[in-house]
Amino acid sequence: MATALIVLAAGKGSRMNSDLPKVLHPIGAAPLLVHALDAGGTLDPDRTVVVTGHGAEAVERTAARFDDRIVTVRQDAQLGTAHAVAQARPALDGFDGDAVVLYGDTPFIEPATLEAMKAARADHDIVVLGFEAADPGRYGRLVMEGDSLQAIVEYKDADAATRALTLCNSGVICADAKTLFSLIEAVGNDNASGEYYLTDIVGLARARGLSAGVVTCAEAETLGINTRAELAAAEAAFQARKRARAIEDGVILPAPETVIFAQDTHVGADTLVEPYVVFAPGVTVESGATIRAFSHLEGCHVSRDAVVGPYARLRPGATLSEGAKVGNFVEVKNATLGAGAKVNHLSYVGDAEVGAAANLGAGTVTCNYDGYFKHKTTIGAGAFIGSSTMLVAPVSVGDGAVTASGSVVTMDVPPGDLAMGRARQTNKTGLGARLMGRLKALKSKGIN
Ligand code: UD1
Ligand code: CA
């Protein structure tokens, strides 16, 4: 059976107090919408339609970046969840199969839950995802008769007896697409909010002799984000889960609560991640690597047995081959370090290719930027870059070549050569002691 995803993402999220549309606020450095699309992706949908409204252009860009096959439709006025789903109808013209409605601000729905809903479609025309709420608050209430869902009643429209129900509506709904749209056509807005409620389709379906059922999940999965405080709580929950999963997968995390993950972080088994490491988006670390304390990684790849930090920064495009070492106060950007290459102290390596087993001494800097353009530095295998060498790009240092400490290298260095690019030293016999003696005498007379 084909599946279409309809993701509702038109809401403003006024309570976020933000110019950013609600669904673009991040958890694990990825927009809420991306979490929802990821969750829906487990159903392997044939079509995905995102309904946009507030901040439509930015939301559309995020959807396209996630998957350029996603269709977006605009809901210019937010007249309710049924009205939002109705906007997806033209985009799904001719589609034959199930439609699954998700909210863009509900990031934590588990794959197994969506699969259970698909499976439950064998027994029901409409399947609603429900949960037992610890505090049912203003959620829509699910009115059951045995295993059969009779209606969903919105809090505002519920009487005291219905408000006392604790089984609540998550908002996720699965139904045959044609049935869904035909029911939505019949939804009116004569209710306490004056909105077109998607939830009304259940009562309408029952009146047509169709059946509705409920699949339940843990309340944590249905957590929706409405405020900054909820976003912060959701971030904490996300981090806790990501850490627990990393530990389960074999990552060594001596102080898990201090390590920050991104949604897409991947760390291999037997890799040690020391305290206070931050993973920004786009990081993969292979097995058996070591990420030492206080390092910041983004958009980079760290291979097996490589060592990073402490206090290292890997920026986008940094690739460390097996056994490479990046030590304290070293920044690497858009650069590949060959196997076993070492940059151990106080260095900047940007727009560079560094050969296997090359050694970059303390204070090596690739001068990659002239104010307008970026230029490349190439360092050959086994090269030895003396401490405090300035490599003025574009420049290359050949295999096995050496640069003298303090050199400013502006010309290519052939393989095996020694480059010395600094003033020659001269020693003045006894002058150091004489100079100091004079200064000492001046100071003792109170002269400065
Ligand atoms: C909705 C459900 C309620 C459920 C709750 C779970 C309805 C009528 N009510 O209530 O039963 O318990 O979710 O969180 O469906 N949206 C649009 N366009 C609109 C209206 C909403 O895109 O015109 C989007 C919002 O951006 C949001 C989602 O739909 O992502 C839910 O809308 P919201 O207004 O938050 O619904 P609730 O009142 O919370
Ligand atoms: Ca809501």
Side-chain angles (χ1 to χ4, degrees):
M1 169 90 70
T3 305
L5 273 187
I6 301 172
V7 183
L8 306 191
K12 178 160 187 243
S14 324
R15 288 194 283 151
M16 297 298 285
N17 289 323
S18 173
D19 289 338
L20 196 65
K22 180 160 74 170
V23 295
L24 297 189
H25 282 267
I27 289 181
L32 294 176
L33 177 64
V34 166
H35 288 265
L37 289 169
D38 246 2
T42 60
L43 290 173
D44 198 13
D46 302 87
R47 310 251 200 117
T48 299
V49 183
V50 176
V51 182
T52 67
H54 284 282
E57 280 170 26
V59 176
E60 285 158 8
R61 276 196 300 276
T62 299
R65 229 178 292 132
F66 182 85
D67 183 342
D68 59 13
R69 291 165 302 178
I70 290 177
V71 176
T72 56
V73 295
R74 289 200 186 177
Q75 184 195 26
D76 292 320
Q78 279 68 61
L79 305 180
T81 44
H83 181 258
V85 174
Q87 308 311 303
R89 187 174 197 165
L92 292 176
D93 193 32
F95 173 78
D96 195 19
D98 275 357
V100 176
V101 178
L102 296 177
Y103 292 169
D105 63 358
T106 304
F108 296 142
I109 307 280
E110 290 283 340
T113 299
L114 292 178
E115 275 152 27
M117 289 184 72
K118 277 288 279 181
R121 274 276 293 119
D123 305 321
H124 297 286
D125 296 302
I126 297 180
V127 178
V128 170
L129 181 63
F131 63 101
E132 279 295 340
D135 169 15
R138 306 185 67 82
Y139 287 118
R141 305 298 204 268
L142 302 185
V143 182
M144 305 295 293
E145 214 175 273
D147 279 347
S148 162
L149 176 63
Q150 299 301 308
I152 306 178
V153 182
E154 288 305 295
Y155 175 81
K156 280 189 189 170
D157 302 286
D159 58 22
T162 309
R163 286 182 179 181
L165 297 173
T166 53
L167 184 62
C168 291
N169 175 30
S170 70
V172 183
I173 284 184
C174 176
D176 168 71
K178 290 198 171 73
T179 309
L180 175 71
F181 289 123
S182 132
L183 289 165
I184 282 176
E185 239 172 62
V187 171
N189 66 350
D190 181 16
N191 53 49
S193 310
E195 286 185 12
Y196 295 89
Y197 292 159
L198 179 61
T199 45
D200 280 356
I201 67 167
V202 172
L204 291 164
R206 300 292 297 148
R208 289 187 193 179
L210 299 172
S211 74
V214 173
V215 163
T216 55
C217 69
E219 184 167 5
E221 278 185 51
T222 71
L223 181 78
I225 311 298
N226 299 297
T227 64
R228 298 269 188 183
E230 285 170 5
L231 185 70
E235 178 73 42
F238 165 83
Q239 293 296 341
R241 266 203 306 280
K242 194 85 180 169
R243 290 163 188 150
R245 202 161 296 166
I247 289 168
E248 235 168 76
D249 290 347
V251 179
I252 309 162
L253 283 177
E257 67 286 354
T258 66
V259 175
I260 304 292
F261 288 99
Q263 189 231 9
D264 61 355
T265 306
H266 180 84
V267 181
D270 292 323
T271 282
L272 167 63
V273 180
E274 289 187 355
Y276 298 100
V277 168
V278 175
F279 293 103
V283 178
T284 52
V285 181
E286 292 181 13
S287 298
T290 302
I291 312 297
R292 303 199 56 198
F294 299 103
S295 294
H296 189 284
L297 292 81
E298 175 174 10
C300 62
H301 179 80
V302 177
S303 301
R304 190 174 280 277
D305 298 329
V307 179
V308 176
Y311 299 99
R313 178 164 184 216
L314 300 186
R315 289 174 53 203
T319 301
L320 273 52
S321 307
E322 277 188 37
K325 286 200 169 125
V326 170
N328 36 232
F329 307 108
V330 171
E331 173 180 345
V332 181
K333 181 217 75 169
N334 187 33
T336 300
L337 303 192
K342 291 182 193 161
V343 194
N344 276 336
H345 335 267
L346 298 162
S347 292
Y348 173 63
V349 181
D351 302 308
E353 201 148 326
V354 177
N359 189 321
L360 279 56
T364 297
V365 172
T366 54
C367 310
N368 60 327
Y369 185 48
D370 57 18
Y372 293 93
F373 301 102
K374 302 284 173 63
H375 302 283
K376 186 173 177 182
T377 301
T378 307
I379 297 171
F384 185 93
I385 306 300
S387 292
S388 201
T389 295
M390 301 292 120
L391 297 156
V392 183
V395 75
S396 77
V397 176
D399 290 352
V402 175
T403 70
S405 294
S407 288
V408 178
V409 177
T410 55
M411 295 182 302
D412 289 353
V413 183
D417 281 11
L418 166 67
M420 299 184 69
R422 52 165 150 89
R424 178 177 290 277
Q425 175 178 336
T426 54
N427 296 338
K428 304 285 187 189
T429 309
L431 187 58
R434 258 166 50 216
L435 178 65
M436 285 300 152
R438 210 170 77 212
L439 294 174
K440 188 177 177 188
L442 285 172
K443 184 151 191 176
S444 71
K445 289 181 196 156
I447 298 168
N448 61 34

